[in-house]
Amino acid sequence: MAQVVKGSSLVRARDYLKSPQVGCTGPDAGAIAFDASGFTPANAPRATAQAVLGLTGATLVTLRGGGPDGAPALNC
């Protein structure tokens, strides 16, 4: 069973997930590094996909495709 995180705990969790995020420049902008050792193209797709659930608040049950094509613009 998944744990529902709300309030200040949610903010701290999202801040943690965004902390290894690649900045706004370069071809990998917005990707999430797998761990604190830094960005590695080999595992970034997996780490980014895993982080999406925490960053969006979706669950595997509520996550849906069908949105607009392309990645959203980063707030830089």
Side-chain angles (χ1 to χ4, degrees):
M1 178 186 281
Q3 180 179 357
V4 177
V5 181
K6 297 180 181 178
S8 63
S9 295
L10 175 63
V11 172
R12 286 194 313 274
R14 285 188 179 161
D15 287 346
Y16 173 79
L17 287 173
K18 290 191 286 186
S19 66
Q21 188 173 24
V22 176
C24 293
T25 59
D28 300 311
I32 306 288
F34 186 73
D35 58 28
S37 66
F39 178 79
T40 304
N43 62 26
R46 180 178 176 193
T48 301
Q50 291 172 348
V52 164
L53 297 175
L55 292 171
T56 64
T59 68
L60 289 175
V61 174
T62 61
L63 188 64
R64 296 283 184 259
D69 290 340
L74 294 175
N75 294 327
C76 297

